[in-house]
Amino acid sequence: MVDSTPDSGFATRLKAIRERIDLAARSAGRNPVDIRLLPVTKTVESARLREAVAAGCRRLGENKVQEAARKHHELSDLDIEWAVIGHLQTNKARNVAAFATEFQALDSLRLAEALDRRLQAAGRGMVVLVQVNTSGEASKSGVAPGETLDLLRALRPFSSLRVNGLMTLAARSEDEESVRRCFRLLRELRDRGRDESLVGDGELSMGMSGDFEAAVEEGATCVRIGTALFGVRALPTK
Ligand SMILES: *Cc1c(COP(=O)(O)O)cnc(C)c1O
């Protein structure tokens, strides 16, 4: 069958990335089914996302809530679950609580309170991951590693938030060892959270287009892939 869709390469790229994930998993003695691939669709227009959905992607990741909400609206005829993966200001909690299935960038108690209030009002629950600043880079958001356990403990009372693990962006570095150090730190924090039953399934969302294989080897259960699937983004985004 000849595939003449404008982005017929998408399914091919998706398959190739999935194969690389599976290979990295097996080489680390892990089961590939334990790792989910979250396509990151920021700056990608809705028309192209239809092709991603047609290729089998069901949950999509966006880092900005306004853009995610717009696409949620534009693609409301499709059965898509939205994961918001970028820093959120407290005054935008309502926007996320209205439609997101998952929020991966929880980094303060104040934001948790705002989200819980909005979710309770909407009668919804949401999966959340706590974002940790494992690299210590000032440009990155996330709770400090040393404060992660305290934040996780403080999240226990919020019944609408299903805290299910941790998320990080590794150091922006050519040096693979400093990248891996971030991944390992996240895993150690997850293990400590697990000892106190604070992290649900213990998800580790780590690894992007440039470093996902190392992340899988270090234990990632979710890799967030943008450019390797959709091509280089036209606009600079965080
Ligand atoms: C953009 C983004 C990604 C994906 O980055 P790529 O390098 O394009 O794969 C992953 N996580 C977050 C939080 C992002 O903002």
Side-chain angles (χ1 to χ4, degrees):
M1 202 180 85
V2 179
D3 188 347
S4 60
T5 55
D7 189 16
S8 61
F10 181 82
T12 310
R13 286 195 296 279
L14 179 65
K15 189 161 170 279
I17 297 286
R18 187 66 241 185
E19 279 168 4
R20 284 170 60 188
I21 293 168
D22 294 0
L23 201 65
R26 285 199 201 90
S27 79
R30 301 185 58 203
N31 188 340
V33 303
D34 293 335
I35 300 135
R36 61 181 170 125
L37 194 183
L38 180 66
V40 175
T41 53
K42 62 192 184 197
T43 79
V44 181
E45 281 315 307
S46 291
R48 288 185 67 203
L49 299 192
R50 292 186 179 273
E51 294 161 34
V53 174
C57 301
R58 171 104 203 285
R59 188 174 296 196
L60 303 177
E62 286 281 342
N63 70 328
K64 294 205 177 89
V65 66
Q66 294 97 319
E67 186 176 343
R70 173 171 60 79
K71 291 174 182 173
H72 168 67
H73 183 70
E74 289 170 357
L75 298 169
S76 58
D77 57 310
L78 299 177
D79 191 15
I80 299 174
E81 295 176 339
W82 294 96
V84 174
I85 61 174
H87 178 71
L88 186 71
Q89 287 171 317
T90 306
N91 62 10
K92 304 244 173 73
R94 182 162 56 100
N95 308 27
V96 168
F99 74 96
T101 297
E102 175 178 359
F103 175 56
Q104 295 203 355
L106 184 60
D107 58 1
S108 76
L109 189 56
R110 236 180 106 228
L111 180 56
E113 284 163 356
L115 282 170
D116 186 64
R117 190 169 352 109
R118 298 302 187 174
L119 286 162
Q120 299 283 1
R124 300 183 72 229
M126 197 165 68
V127 171
V128 298
L129 305 184
V130 167
Q131 181 175 356
V132 184
N133 186 351
T134 52
S135 71
E137 289 170 18
S139 63
K140 292 201 165 76
S141 34
V143 65
E147 291 163 15
T148 306
L149 269 289
D150 279 343
L151 178 58
L152 287 170
R153 291 181 194 115
L155 295 178
R156 263 188 297 224
F158 299 112
S159 58
S160 71
L161 303 179
R162 187 173 153 230
V163 182
N164 210 35
L166 305 176
M167 180 274 238
T168 201
L169 282 92
R172 188 186 276 276
S173 168
E174 297 292 306
D175 172 31
E176 188 174 318
E177 197 44 41
S178 52
V179 171
R180 282 183 186 261
R181 220 176 290 130
C182 295
F183 296 150
R184 280 185 213 126
L185 176 56
L186 198 73
R187 189 181 63 205
E188 284 162 22
L189 291 168
R190 190 273 316 266
D191 291 347
R192 287 169 55 196
R194 235 181 206 166
D195 292 342
E196 297 181 42
S197 304
L198 299 171
V199 287
D201 296 331
E203 276 230 62
L204 289 176
S205 176
M206 56 191 198
M208 324 199 308
S209 292
D211 57 17
F212 68 88
E213 282 149 319
V216 167
E217 287 168 14
E218 300 295 346
T221 65
C222 173
V223 292
R224 310 177 306 269
I225 311 281
T227 47
L229 282 174
F230 295 102
V232 177
R233 285 179 289 274
L235 302 166
T237 70
K238 292 218 305 169

